[in-house]
Amino acid sequence: MSTADSALSGRGEFGALLRTLRTRAGLSQEELAHLAGVSVRAVADMERGRTRGPQRRTVGALVTALALDGSGGEAEALERAAASGRPRPRAVPMEAMGLRLPRDVRDFTAREADLARVRAVAEDAGPAYPAVVLVTGQPGLGKTAFAVRAAHSLAGLYPDGQFAVDLRGTDAEPAEPREVLRRLLGALGIAEGAVPPDAESRAGLLRATVEDRRVLFVLDNAADEDQVRPLLPSSGPALTLVTSRNALAGLEGVDRVALGVLRREESVALLSRVVGAERVAAEPQAARDLADLCGQLPLAVRIAAQRLAARPSERLAKLVAQLADEGRRLDVLQAGNLQVRAAFALSYRRLEPLAQRVLRRATLAAGTDFSPQTAALLSGTSLRQAELCTQDLADRGLLQPDPAAERYRFHDLLRLFAAERLAEDDPADLGLARERTARWMLARAGAAALHFDAERSPTGDPHGATAPRGPDEARDWLEAERVQWLDALRQALAGGHHQEVLDAAEAMHWFSDRTQHWEQWVQVFHCSVAAARALGSRRDEAVHLNYLAWARNLCVHDYAGGLAAAREALAAAREAGDLLQTGWAYGYGAGALHHLGRAEETVAWLKESAACHRENASPQSRLAELSTLNALGGHLRSMGRPEEALAIHRQSEELCRAGIPGQSEEVLAVFRAGTSQHVGRDLVALARCAEAEPLLRRALDGFEAAGMAAWSEPARLDLGIALRRLGRAEEARTTLDAARRGLAEQGHPRQGEAERELAAAADCGGSGV
């Protein structure tokens, strides 16, 4: 009698035979598990008789691990014992019928990379760590459709069953894990009478049941981590796909697939698959516009496509026209029981009241994104509460977090939905919230801008604990919130808060010099001019008209507009008897005239400007005189008169050396850098490039030290030109390329000059011209 027959006759069980063969081979349970690629627990359960009929693949792995060659009949005996313990074929349990995978739609589009990632996870998973893939994203991204497509494509790898269950995570009462476990165990063939009463025991039985089965679970629409954890296998070859609108950040040991919106071409492809390629090809631009108006959200695109499919004679352009009306867009985006609004409402209803208020009132923020501080002001809560709410809303897929900063944005359709919910608020409360936010933002903007005024200290911030500390933080805040505080400026003007508008614009005067590439300065000073007029102050009107002329000349290059503002400033300054503002008006007018090609008038206006400043004994007029002389010399140089320009700029150097009482070193350093740049440019024009180089380097260093990119990049260009003419090819190319990139970022009018100089440096090898 063989060893196998003896063991079987004694016990007649698979476990007894396995233990005998393992002991004979001198292997521990751990060693056998390792060699066979199964878990130690699986080996132990088989030997104890808990698992009586392992699958044929498992038996084959054990035969190989035990080195059974078949000569003694052990391999066949082991398989016979396993077969006798396997359940006989029987009808599919009713529970399994109810948990079958949903239908896969044939027009499913895109997501190829994400599907490939899920397949890679499934194929690479080992028995010790069953694969779990968590699919997340905002409502309407097609998470369920994605999971169903993935499950169908992987079904061949899981012959022991594929099951799907809706966890009802967006319902008022999500599915209880205990009940879900009962259904899954029933689908796996466990008799109802053998199912334990408590959730913990049911979870343990599920893990034991699937430990050696290749099964696939789709757990759709999960509410939270506590709902999902009991449903996950702990070992074996199973794959679980979980979908949720929530991030489920606390779920450990899972592979995450965060779905995003489609690309435009993918949206058009989905449209084509539903309505037919011929209709889309006949109206390609309408198809693209439709995809954009749907925000590339798969649910919205599918609804639009289903509407069109149900109306085969309707043109795409007609639906585009209907969707273009924001007030109607969510009404239009419904087809039968498919509704974008309903999909969003499921998530909204699950929010706490404060989170609902934060979400809907965030739609009042200006611009495309907002900070938790803005959300706090609009919703009337603390900054800490707003931070927690916005993080939670992002985890729920209702807000999109910025990858680098603590800022958030809406999907376009979610913004429309949330804005509709503002009907839940009292209109008077909304008005107060907007005014509160605007005045806070305006106060913060003014205080932040004062970090760049060497003559004034930052004061008046509405919340000292979070106020920017130093110029770098101030600039970052002003940059990040510029749409918000500009909107606040407009609201303050409309609300009659004219002095606040004037104070904020005045505070930003020096900061605007450092950000000349911001086109919004025209809007800022438009508002301040209107505020000055409302206050009846001709002097303030002259000041801010001069700022407006500056902004039109340098920020948007509207020279006709700049000249018009300068003329108005000149009239107001003369009426107010303000010699300083009169001189500035002549200077800004001259800048506009220069760009309009009116050279002689430019010289005349600059001379008038210099005369006004020279006559004025105030320290401010010394700076103004210095600026005017620099501008006059620059204009003479552009007229082909570099010798006269150099003579004028030598006067500027004398003013710099003499110093200006009452002015800070920081301000004087900027003016010295500007003068050095002008002298350097004069010397280049006179072919004295060796003398120009150190002056231009000094100018560049000065502007960079002050953080004035709008000035440093033109100085870098001038230095590159000098280096090229000195024949220092490699250094010239490096400098010119950096200048070209910096000027392009600012949209500076000299970027074309930088490109030409760089091309000349490449063509000539840097030789002088």
Side-chain angles (χ1 to χ4, degrees):
M1 182 180 291
S2 69
T3 303
D5 290 338
S6 299
L8 286 171
S9 64
R11 295 188 56 140
E13 296 180 352
F14 175 83
L17 175 57
L18 178 61
R19 178 177 298 174
T20 299
L21 295 172
R22 175 179 62 77
T23 303
R24 188 188 70 180
L27 298 173
S28 66
Q29 288 185 343
E30 291 79 4
E31 290 169 333
L32 177 57
H34 176 73
L35 291 171
V38 298
S39 68
V40 176
R41 182 176 176 179
V43 172
D45 285 349
M46 285 186 280
E47 290 190 355
R48 288 198 305 266
R50 186 173 183 180
T51 302
R52 297 173 180 270
Q55 299 299 310
R56 188 180 297 274
R57 285 184 303 277
T58 303
V59 175
L62 292 169
V63 166
T64 302
L66 292 166
L68 302 179
D69 60 8
S71 59
E74 291 95 344
E76 293 83 354
L78 195 64
E79 170 54 32
R80 285 197 304 273
S84 67
R86 292 173 191 145
R88 297 291 183 267
R90 57 186 176 86
V92 177
M94 290 302 295
E95 286 290 358
M97 297 291 288
L99 297 186
R100 284 184 170 177
L101 292 180
R103 177 175 69 97
D104 187 18
V105 293
R106 66 178 182 179
D107 51 26
F108 183 91
T109 304
R111 310 295 194 198
E112 291 87 356
D114 292 321
L115 287 168
R117 183 178 170 196
V118 174
R119 175 170 287 276
V121 169
E123 292 176 344
D124 295 343
Y129 301 102
V132 180
V133 178
L134 174 61
V135 183
T136 60
Q138 73 173 68
L141 286 174
K143 298 178 290 297
T144 299
F146 174 84
V148 169
R149 168 55 62 97
H152 278 285
S153 69
L154 295 171
L157 298 178
Y158 299 94
D160 297 332
Q162 308 96 40
F163 309 99
V165 59
D166 182 3
L167 300 182
R168 306 198 314 273
T170 53
D171 288 6
E173 296 184 5
E176 289 289 339
R178 179 177 176 275
E179 173 59 20
V180 176
L181 286 164
R182 183 194 67 78
R183 296 182 63 199
L184 288 173
L185 288 168
L188 290 164
I190 304 299
E192 187 167 350
V195 175
D198 61 287
E200 185 176 354
S201 297
R202 289 180 179 185
L205 181 56
L206 177 70
R207 290 193 291 269
T209 302
V210 302
E211 194 168 38
D212 62 349
R213 297 193 196 184
R214 295 196 65 84
V215 294
L216 185 155
F217 296 125
V218 175
L219 305 179
D220 189 35
N221 192 16
D224 54 37
E225 296 90 338
D226 289 339
Q227 185 190 40
V228 173
R229 283 194 186 100
L231 311 179
L232 300 180
S234 59
S235 62
L239 169 66
T240 306
L241 304 178
V242 184
T243 74
S244 180
R245 297 183 176 197
N246 302 327
L248 304 191
L251 199 60
E252 314 90 336
V254 300
D255 288 277
R256 295 175 178 272
V257 174
L259 297 183
V261 295
L262 300 175
R263 297 194 301 273
R264 179 198 261 185
E265 61 269 23
E266 293 172 336
S267 296
V268 172
L270 174 57
L271 186 64
S272 297
R273 291 184 180 182
V274 178
V275 307
E278 298 80 6
R279 288 178 74 181
V280 171
E283 297 181 80
Q285 187 56 52
R288 291 190 288 270
D289 292 343
L290 188 149
D292 292 344
L293 289 167
C294 290
Q296 320 304 342
L297 189 70
L299 175 62
V301 176
R302 176 168 291 282
I303 288 172
Q306 296 292 131
R307 281 177 58 101
L308 289 166
R311 300 169 173 83
S313 63
E314 188 169 288
R315 292 179 59 82
L316 273 66
K318 176 182 176 181
L319 183 56
V320 168
Q322 293 171 342
L323 291 171
D325 181 355
E326 285 192 351
R328 297 179 57 198
R329 192 172 302 167
L330 294 181
D331 293 328
V332 174
L333 285 174
Q334 53 183 315
N337 64 352
L338 289 177
Q339 297 182 22
V340 168
R341 183 186 282 114
F344 294 159
L346 287 173
S347 291
Y348 183 77
R349 288 198 295 266
R350 293 277 296 169
L351 298 176
E352 295 294 328
L354 177 58
Q356 290 181 341
R357 187 165 81 246
V358 168
L359 182 72
R360 63 181 182 262
R361 290 201 181 182
T363 63
L364 299 174
T368 58
D369 66 353
F370 63 91
S371 65
Q373 181 66 74
T374 300
L377 292 165
L378 288 168
S379 58
T381 189
S382 68
L383 175 58
R384 181 57 182 155
Q385 285 297 317
E387 289 172 340
L388 292 172
C389 283
T390 49
Q391 290 168 11
D392 180 57
L393 290 167
D395 285 344
R396 293 173 181 269
L398 298 175
L399 291 177
Q400 301 169 3
D402 185 279
E406 194 172 4
R407 300 186 68 79
Y408 300 87
R409 65 177 60 229
F410 282 95
H411 182 276
D412 291 346
L413 297 180
L414 262 168
R415 179 186 286 275
L416 293 178
F417 170 82
E420 286 183 346
R421 312 310 297 187
L422 288 171
E424 299 173 17
D425 290 283
D426 185 304
D429 288 344
L430 292 179
L432 291 173
R434 294 196 66 177
E435 182 175 0
R436 174 178 63 241
T437 304
R439 300 188 77 170
W440 192 100
M441 282 287 170
L442 206 57
R444 166 63 60 87
L450 287 175
H451 281 279
F452 303 92
D453 188 334
E455 299 178 356
R456 298 168 65 187
S457 299
T459 57
D461 191 280
H463 191 228
T466 62
R469 292 165 296 184
D472 290 342
E473 288 188 13
R475 180 178 180 130
D476 289 344
W477 188 91
L478 289 163
E479 171 75 48
E481 297 286 5
R482 60 172 157 164
V483 176
Q484 194 66 44
W485 59 253
L486 179 57
D487 182 69
L489 195 75
R490 296 193 194 98
Q491 287 189 53
L493 180 64
H497 304 295
H498 300 120
Q499 192 60 53
E500 291 179 40
V501 172
L502 210 60
D503 291 345
E506 182 61 39
M508 292 183 185
H509 167 54
W510 281 106
F511 178 63
S512 67
D513 248 353
R514 297 166 183 259
T515 50
Q516 292 178 10
H517 57 292
W518 287 11
E519 295 185 0
Q520 74 184 64
W521 292 122
V522 171
Q523 300 171 59
V524 169
F525 297 127
H526 259 302
C527 288
S528 60
V529 167
R533 286 173 176 162
L535 291 169
S537 171
R538 287 292 274 168
R539 182 196 173 278
D540 285 330
E541 186 179 350
V543 170
H544 290 270
L545 279 166
N546 273 327
Y547 294 164
L548 179 59
W550 168 87
R552 284 176 168 170
N553 284 346
L554 294 182
C555 302
V556 298
H557 317 298
D558 171 17
Y559 305 115
L563 180 59
R567 290 187 188 281
E568 289 186 77
L570 185 60
R574 283 173 169 166
E575 184 178 326
D578 192 314
L579 201 57
L580 178 64
Q581 294 305 319
T582 300
W584 279 122
Y586 274 122
Y588 291 130
L593 289 164
H594 165 69
H595 288 285
L596 291 170
R598 295 156 65 173
E600 295 303 329
E601 288 178 87
T602 302
V603 172
W605 277 57
L606 284 170
K607 289 181 176 179
E608 289 283 359
S609 176
C612 286
H613 296 316
R614 196 175 300 115
E615 183 181 341
N616 192 335
S618 72
Q620 286 182 310
S621 287
R622 297 289 68 72
L623 287 180
E625 182 183 4
L626 181 55
S627 295
T628 302
L629 289 174
N630 282 341
L632 176 57
H635 181 64
L636 290 169
R637 183 177 61 249
S638 71
M639 294 173 67
R641 295 154 64 178
E643 296 89 349
E644 294 176 66
L646 183 58
I648 293 291
H649 289 138
R650 293 300 188 195
Q651 294 179 44
S652 297
E653 286 183 319
E654 287 298 321
L655 280 174
C656 288
R657 278 193 288 269
I660 300 173
Q663 293 299 319
S664 70
E665 177 56 32
E666 181 183 357
V667 171
L668 291 176
V670 171
F671 277 88
R672 282 196 292 267
T675 300
S676 295
Q677 182 185 12
H678 275 293
V679 174
R681 294 189 71 182
D682 297 338
L683 292 169
V684 169
L686 292 167
R688 295 160 60 180
C689 295
E691 297 174 65
E693 181 193 350
L695 291 167
L696 293 171
R697 289 191 184 279
R698 188 183 308 159
L700 177 58
D701 290 345
F703 292 140
E704 287 188 328
M708 302 179 72
W711 295 25
S712 62
E713 296 312 311
R716 196 184 313 278
L717 170 59
D718 295 329
L719 175 61
I721 293 170
L723 292 170
R724 183 177 76 80
R725 297 187 181 185
L726 286 169
R728 289 152 62 178
E730 188 62 33
E731 194 175 357
R733 282 193 291 270
T734 300
T735 304
L736 289 168
D737 184 56
R740 176 187 60 80
R741 286 184 277 108
L743 293 167
E745 288 176 5
Q746 301 173 19
H748 198 283
R750 292 189 71 188
Q751 61 180 303
E753 181 185 355
E755 290 169 358
R756 291 189 296 273
E757 287 289 341
L758 187 58
D763 292 342
C764 303
S767 61
V769 176

